[in-house]
Amino acid sequence: MHQISLSDVRPGDIFLVANRSCSLKAWFMRFFCGSYYTHAEIYLGDEEIAEATWPRVTTRKFRLPIYGHVTVIRTQTGCCSGLGFDSIRAEKLHSFVKYAISSKWRYNIFGIFLRFNFNGQHARKRDQHSVDIIEILERPMKVGTLLPWNSWLNRASHKVEAYWCSEFIARCYFEVGIFTGLMDRVEPPNLILPSDLACNDNFGWVVGVLAADKYIVPHDDKCFQGTNHWEVCAAKRCKKCPF
């Protein structure tokens, strides 16, 4: 990973916040998330981000964390040689965020406990979900048979009032058309932690790191394992990529 500036970031990019503060609040969030990545935001452009945070969904000006860094993830459709997170998707994102704010959608504080990751519990839930998906795909299904869990899309079609930060990111991806169809079953939002976005190609590739000058990203950072956007563009000899 390499350090980038805010001018390299595009609307629709995901910001993963690595909080390495020694405060009690930071320790509490790292304990429940099982990672230094404790928060996820989405970039709207003009130095503005949207996020689900206490007490509700909101927007604010981006600011660098004092103790930590921000890893930027760009969707595969945002690849220079791909379809791109174009002006239409950016407009849809702005409209959805405005609707969420006007509807006063709240922060899902209980989501912390639902995603409790002590002693690898969250990882085991995700692994079991993958096994369940394979089992269902291999099972012959009769016409009209429903999958044995409630579709997140069905729930999203009704009024939803509370979001965990990474769940809000997934909802944004559905609203702008990055995720479609059965992606709610492949990547169920209630099983997504901010750290799960780091090495997940379904959400995108690592663009780089936003951090203060002379900041050194720890080598145990999970995003070192992820696919780099600039490497993909270099392999495709993309002339539009600024890296």
Side-chain angles (χ1 to χ4, degrees):
M1 288 193 298
H2 61 288
Q3 192 162 332
I4 60 176
S5 65
L6 201 57
S7 61
D8 297 319
V9 181
R10 301 177 184 174
D13 286 352
I14 298 173
F15 286 6
L16 302 181
V17 182
N19 189 342
R20 304 183 76 89
S21 169
C22 296
S23 69
L24 181 61
K25 177 182 177 182
W27 179 88
F28 177 82
M29 291 302 296
R30 290 197 298 265
F31 176 76
F32 275 94
C33 290
S35 168
Y36 281 107
Y37 285 105
T38 59
H39 189 56
E41 309 160 342
I42 191 164
Y43 189 61
L44 299 176
D46 296 327
E47 301 185 9
E48 188 177 33
I49 58 101
E51 60 180 347
T53 186
W54 179 261
R56 60 177 59 89
V57 174
T58 186
T59 60
R60 63 172 174 83
K61 284 291 183 180
F62 171 76
R63 56 181 178 272
L64 286 173
I66 299 176
Y67 304 102
H69 62 276
V70 173
T71 297
V72 180
I73 305 292
R74 181 167 299 162
T75 174
Q76 293 182 36
T77 57
C79 178
C80 299
S81 56
L83 299 175
F85 201 103
D86 54 20
S87 58
I88 296 177
R89 282 196 171 115
E91 185 177 346
K92 286 182 178 180
L93 177 61
H94 277 269
S95 298
F96 169 65
V97 170
K98 287 180 180 178
Y99 175 74
I101 293 174
S102 63
S103 300
K104 298 181 179 180
W105 286 353
R106 299 188 301 272
Y107 178 67
N108 185 12
I109 188 66
F110 297 106
I112 296 176
F113 301 97
L114 292 175
R115 295 160 180 80
F116 184 58
N117 196 33
F118 178 70
N119 198 27
Q121 179 178 345
H122 173 75
R124 289 194 295 272
K125 287 181 180 179
R126 286 189 65 88
D127 290 342
Q128 184 59 49
H129 174 73
S130 298
V131 172
D132 292 342
I133 285 287
I134 295 173
E135 179 183 347
I136 289 169
L137 291 176
E138 292 178 345
R139 183 190 309 162
M141 294 184 65
K142 298 179 181 179
V143 177
T145 302
L146 297 177
L147 291 177
W149 62 75
N150 292 328
S151 169
W152 181 77
L153 282 180
N154 290 335
R155 181 169 67 85
S157 64
H158 303 289
K159 184 178 180 181
V160 180
E161 296 184 348
Y163 282 93
W164 170 249
C165 64
S166 44
E167 182 178 13
F168 181 69
I169 298 299
R171 177 67 190 272
C172 287
Y173 265 37
F174 273 105
E175 291 295 327
V176 302
I178 300 295
F179 285 174
T180 57
L182 298 179
M183 279 301 296
D184 65 309
R185 291 156 186 168
V186 177
E187 293 292 350
N190 65 335
L191 287 180
I192 296 175
L193 287 170
S195 58
D196 293 325
L197 307 179
C199 301
N200 190 331
D201 287 348
N202 288 329
F203 284 90
W205 300 320
V206 176
V207 176
V209 172
L210 295 170
D213 293 338
K214 298 182 181 180
Y215 178 86
I216 299 176
V217 179
H219 289 289
D220 61 349
D221 191 287
K222 189 175 182 180
C223 285
F224 276 109
Q225 306 168 17
T227 303
N228 284 288
H229 171 84
W230 66 271
E231 289 179 332
V232 176
C233 285
K236 294 182 178 180
R237 297 181 179 179
C238 177
K239 297 180 180 179
K240 296 180 180 180
C241 187
F243 309 114

